[in-house]
Amino acid sequence: MKRESDALKTRFTMEAAGLDARALTRLRVLNCIRDAGEASRTDIAAALKLSPATVTFVTSGLMAGGLIEEVSAPDTADTAKRGRPRVALSLTKGSYFVAGIKVSRDKMSILILDFDGREVVNLDVALATPQMEPLALVLAIRDGVMAACVRIDVGLEVLAGISIGLAGLIDSETRFVHWSSSLTERNVDLGALLAEHLPCAAFLENDANLVAKAEQLFGEARGLSNFMVVTVEHGVGLGIVLDGRLHRGERGCGGEFGHTKVALHGEACQCGQRGCLEAYVGTSGLLRRARKDLGAEAAGSVAALVDLAQAGDAKARRILDEAGQMFGMGLSNLINIFDPERIIVAGAEHRIAHLHSETVLAQVRSSVVKVDTALPEIRVHHWDDLMWARGAAAMGIEKVSALKVKALAQ
Ligand SMILES: [Zn+2]
């Protein structure tokens, strides 16, 4: 078995907040087993640099709690010689399920994973309207998760946690939504509604943070401690990971890259202010500008706008060039402030194809403060909606794991 990887150490620091030393050790052992699939006690002791006695104590606690189980492993030459079957540990099959949900404008993507991180079912549910009252959204989430459970012939009670990604200014600790483009109201205690209407632990997170989480666990940021993920869909989001941990800000409102200002008295933004980056770069803003300058036909999709520009339409070209320059300025501001190892631009290919152009890179190069070393790497990662839900589910698994080890008898 491989030694504890950098990615595992990074993950460990992200989820460890609020656990005592004993619970932390349990969590490390649980994550070690999850990452390996199966691991013997000797493997775990070597990977985590723990004494055999500690591993025996911790694994017996995890077994008593139903989180892990013993499985017989194939004989090695060594065990065959000693005549004793080799015993490995794995997560208890089917012990817990976790749902990850990404709420978009027109639909909800739901993914249920088992405790091992394996996909059990995924389902897209159409939303009647992009903005909902808080209670209506919570009930839609409950109905959507129930529909996903029906697909696999189980009830909601099998879920140990539901992890929800929402665009906007969200305090994930208190599950308080300061503002979200998915809600008709500001300042919503969504946590109280989730607790009232969902049968299990529910976690809430800004959706760009979930993408950062997914990039860190199984994407383009594995092994990195300082990186940013810029998400581009209807709006523009940012997940900031510093020293291995998500940086949310004091009020949980940090990372609102889309609402950083790029123009005085500029375009109106969906947040109610003017001159925000996403009013020029996000799909909604881009198409609104296309509608204004070119008419409804050009504003059907980003791809249609790109086609028009490539066919020589000067107005379409100008809108896209301006978006690229604004985006390049935004990326250079991130580099000037954070100096990350890597920036990952994440989104569906049809939304971001025009944002890794020479126009964008030239703007970045000309706007970053001059230092005689290479620029941080900028990578593009094409995502589909399911990957947002995967990030939500991955975070859900981590939070459920922390709750479970915390709840074990001391
Ligand atoms: Zn704004």
Side-chain angles (χ1 to χ4, degrees), residues 267 279-280 285-299 305 308 313-323:
E267 293 285 332
Y280 297 86
L286 198 63
L287 296 182
R288 193 170 54 237
R289 300 195 78 205
R291 198 173 303 115
K292 205 163 70 180
D293 289 3
L294 293 156
E297 205 168 309
L305 187 62
L308 260 183
D313 187 293
K315 284 182 181 169
R317 183 74 270 156
R318 187 173 53 78
I319 292 170
L320 287 171
D321 278 351
E322 201 166 82

Side-chain angles (χ1 to χ4, degrees), residues 260-264 274-278 280 326 329-330 333:
T260 52
K261 304 301 178 278
V262 293
L264 197 63
R274 286 189 171 275
C276 297
L277 179 69
E278 77 173 41
Y280 297 86
M326 298 280 195
M329 276 190 334
N333 288 341

Side-chain angles (χ1 to χ4, degrees), residues 204-262:
L204 188 65
E205 184 65 80
N206 169 276
D207 54 2
N209 285 344
L210 293 175
V211 179
K213 185 74 189 170
E215 292 286 11
Q216 186 176 41
L217 291 183
F218 35 71
E220 299 288 336
R222 271 175 289 196
L224 300 188
S225 298
N226 293 292
F227 67 92
M228 326 257 121
V229 179
V230 177
T231 60
V232 182
E233 46 165 9
H234 287 278
V236 177
L238 176 68
I240 303 170
V241 174
L242 300 175
D243 295 330
R245 303 186 66 155
L246 271 174
H247 177 79
R248 299 180 173 92
E250 184 62 29
R251 299 168 302 157
C253 301
E256 283 303 320
F257 184 49
H259 304 286
T260 52
K261 304 301 178 278
V262 293

